[in-house]
Amino acid sequence: MTGTQTAGRRYGGRDAAQRQQERRTRLIQAGLDLFGTAGFAAASVKQVCSHAGLTERYFYESFRDREDLLAGVYDELITTIIAETAQAAAAAAPDVDAQLRAGLEVFIRTLAGDARKARLVLIEVVGASPRLEVRRRDVLHEFAAMVAAVVGPLSDPEASSSRLTMTAMSLVGGVNELLVDWTLGHQKATVEELIDLCHTLYIAAYRAISDQL
């Protein structure tokens, strides 16, 4: 049997690409577990591999280094959160009040419901590297664009573009910092209280913008 044939053999009904993807998934989960508890700086590649039940050889099969793994975990979490937040907001259309609350509820409950996700998304990626800082800023802009898209169709795009963009970014940044504070234990609010407060701020801003147009 040739080397090519050997590489393409199936084990347990899975080909080589599927097995590699499964190993990557295990490393992503291990990264979430360790970076989201001990922290990025405290978790080594060796510890991640041990937690995943894999050798370091398989780590470097999918990731260049710890930072690359952190980026991979962050991207997977954010991709899911953005998709679920957008889906919840769209399902509540066309009521802007309901859309804003639905999106906030999914976003806040997802992070508040899993301390690992909250720590990784809100704290561990901050300043971890120039690459991750650029990605984190892009994510904030993605969420701001989502907020603006909910409110934007009800106003004159030309007249409100700048004000709407700045307001959306202010709201997203405010919610982000409130959740950082909550995750670090500086706020003792319940999840429901967090959602209600953020929704109140969003609606107040939305009404203020609407009145000015």
Side-chain angles (χ1 to χ4, degrees):
M1 181 175 292
T2 66
T4 300
Q5 289 174 318
T6 301
R9 289 179 61 182
R10 300 177 69 88
Y11 295 93
R14 299 162 299 171
D15 61 25
Q18 290 172 320
R19 295 195 300 275
Q20 180 177 349
Q21 181 57 46
E22 288 174 1
R23 289 191 291 269
R24 185 181 189 280
T25 298
R26 286 164 63 181
L27 288 166
I28 288 283
Q29 184 60 53
L32 173 60
D33 289 343
L34 294 181
F35 298 158
T37 53
F40 174 63
S44 66
V45 168
K46 183 176 181 180
Q47 288 171 320
V48 169
C49 291
S50 176
H51 193 78
L54 297 168
T55 64
E56 291 186 38
R57 164 198 169 192
Y58 289 122
F59 179 93
Y60 294 108
E61 168 186 69
S62 295
F63 302 101
R64 293 190 301 274
D65 49 29
R66 282 187 315 126
E67 179 201 323
D68 200 32
L69 174 60
L70 179 62
V73 179
Y74 181 67
D75 281 340
E76 290 219 1
L77 289 176
I78 288 300
T79 297
T80 299
I81 293 171
I82 287 178
E84 292 179 350
T85 300
Q87 183 178 18
D95 186 329
V96 174
D97 186 312
Q99 282 185 278
L100 292 174
R101 184 174 186 88
L104 283 166
E105 184 153 3
V106 167
F107 178 75
I108 293 172
R109 287 194 186 281
T110 297
L111 295 181
D114 190 326
R116 299 168 308 161
K117 294 178 181 179
R119 177 168 175 173
L120 193 142
V121 169
L122 299 170
I123 298 169
E124 293 302 319
V125 297
V126 178
S129 71
R131 167 197 174 191
L132 273 165
E133 196 58 21
V134 169
R135 174 63 177 136
R136 188 179 72 86
R137 298 301 307 174
D138 286 344
V139 167
L140 291 176
H141 282 281
E142 287 182 53
F143 277 109
M146 191 186 306
V147 173
V150 170
V151 178
L154 302 181
S155 58
D156 176 2
E158 294 300 324
S160 64
S161 177
S162 178
R163 180 179 293 276
L164 183 58
T165 298
M166 289 190 294
T167 301
M169 192 63 181
S170 297
L171 291 169
V172 167
V175 170
N176 186 81
E177 286 305 310
L178 176 61
L179 290 179
V180 168
D181 223 34
W182 186 83
T183 299
L184 292 173
H186 299 308
Q187 304 296 333
K188 304 302 180 184
T190 65
V191 175
E192 288 71 23
E193 288 171 335
L194 290 174
I195 294 169
D196 285 342
L197 173 60
C198 292
H199 180 243
T200 297
L201 293 174
Y202 272 55
I203 290 301
Y206 160 64
R207 289 174 180 164
I209 289 177
S210 299
D211 290 344
Q212 293 169 7
L213 300 175

